[in-house]
Amino acid sequence: MSTPVIQTDAGREGWEAIVSDPSTAVISSDFDGVLSPLVEDPARSRPVEGALDALARLARTVNQVAIVTGRPALVATELSGVSGHPGLGGLVVLGHYGLERWDAATGKVTSEPVPEGVATARDRLPGLLREVGVPDAFVEDKDSSLAVHTRRLEDPVGALELLRAPLTALAQETGLRLEPGNLVLELRPPGIDKGVALRRLIESTGARSILYAGDDLGDLTAYRAIQEQRETGLRGVLLATRSSNATELIEAADIVVDDPSGVVTVLTALSDAISAR
């Protein structure tokens, strides 16, 4: 399989670094919109065909394979089907933007404490949604964060704008942070994001190169973490899908694909290149 179109010099350097020395490389990816197509019901997310096999093939040669997601670690583990996959015994799932970590080697989850503000926001959200006039907005309770989705509503964009100011105020009152996404606004503990999660992963593995695949605004912090560490010698590949039409993410990427099937194609090409070296 041929090398995918890499749009930047930094991306080409990252690709070559992974291929030439996979034992010091990390392969990391979001789940929804990257390994799994976006669906209206988050509980129905499943990996696209070939995604786990592509990760498993890379896992044989690279230092670490990881899924980095806003979902609870055990939920992502169950939906992705990685538990028990014969080639992913060393995989880690960083859930809740790194607040939780699931290790395939042990099957256990470790977690940091959840701020009290999350429970307060959980209690107040139903009344707030009624007051704003969008009582049917779907609240995805992730235990350590709360995501308010408008995708199922008749006017999802209009509903999102109605919610932005009151949710911003609720976040400030409860000591949380409001993070926007694709037709979703998420109340999340401060200091927890995918950038922090990736920095910790890079430090713990001693990685010299990394590929990260994302699709939404929540992945920008991961991109920025890699861009910052490029200044100190890390080589990186930023892969984006158009699943969420996140323009800023797409413009920052080294490689852009249309959907999760394109991610599988890129991961397969990378493992082919490693095998051919």
Side-chain angles (χ1 to χ4, degrees):
M1 183 175 292
S2 61
T3 303
V5 176
I6 305 174
Q7 303 173 146
T8 66
D9 290 340
R12 284 186 283 273
E13 290 177 4
W15 184 276
E16 180 57 31
I18 295 171
V19 171
S20 62
D21 188 10
S23 65
T24 61
V26 167
I27 305 299
S28 50
S29 172
D30 188 9
F31 179 62
D32 296 283
V34 182
L35 299 178
S36 166
L38 293 177
V39 293
E40 287 192 3
D41 182 356
R44 299 179 67 86
S45 294
R46 298 293 185 275
V48 72
E49 183 178 358
L52 298 190
D53 290 339
L55 288 177
R57 187 178 174 199
L58 283 165
R60 293 199 293 266
T61 54
V62 302
N63 181 294
Q64 181 71 69
V65 174
I67 293 175
V68 187
T69 174
R71 290 182 183 266
L74 285 178
V75 171
T77 299
E78 179 180 353
L79 294 178
S80 64
V82 295
S83 180
H85 189 287
L88 295 174
L91 177 119
V92 298
V93 175
L94 303 180
H96 285 317
Y97 305 94
L99 197 68
E100 293 183 345
R101 174 180 172 126
W102 175 86
D103 284 87
T106 63
K108 295 181 179 179
V109 174
T110 55
S111 177
E112 298 180 16
V114 178
E116 293 181 4
V118 176
T120 303
R122 180 180 292 114
D123 291 339
R124 295 179 56 182
L125 259 181
L128 182 150
L129 296 180
R130 288 194 298 270
E131 290 172 11
V132 174
V134 285
D136 295 329
F138 173 62
V139 179
E140 183 185 4
D141 192 334
K142 302 180 179 181
D143 296 331
S144 66
S145 66
L146 301 157
V148 183
H149 297 264
T150 63
R151 186 177 289 112
R152 302 177 184 179
L153 301 180
E154 185 175 346
D155 180 11
V157 176
L160 197 74
E161 290 310 308
L162 283 174
L163 287 166
R164 195 177 299 275
L167 286 180
T168 297
L170 179 61
Q172 292 172 345
E173 293 168 15
T174 55
L176 302 177
R177 190 174 71 188
L178 189 69
E179 289 291 335
N182 181 27
L183 299 178
V184 61
L185 294 167
E186 184 165 355
L187 294 155
R188 187 189 307 170
I192 298 296
D193 59 42
K194 292 182 180 179
V196 173
L198 269 195
R199 288 187 188 95
R200 292 174 178 172
L201 184 64
I202 291 166
E203 181 178 356
S204 66
T205 59
R208 297 179 183 174
S209 60
I210 186 169
L211 178 146
Y212 181 79
D215 77 302
D216 206 348
L217 295 178
D219 296 301
L220 278 173
T221 56
Y223 272 30
R224 289 169 185 153
I226 293 172
Q227 289 166 337
E228 289 169 5
Q229 296 213 21
R230 278 172 167 169
E231 300 298 321
T232 58
L234 181 75
R235 297 292 180 259
V237 179
L238 307 177
L239 170 59
T241 77
R242 294 189 175 91
S243 300
S244 296
N245 295 314
T247 302
E248 190 175 354
L249 191 82
I250 292 169
E251 290 177 349
D254 303 310
I255 303 173
V256 180
V257 296
D258 288 333
D259 52 32
S261 293
V263 173
V264 174
T265 299
V266 171
L267 297 181
T268 302
L270 182 57
S271 58
D272 284 347
I274 293 171
S275 297
R277 178 56 65 105

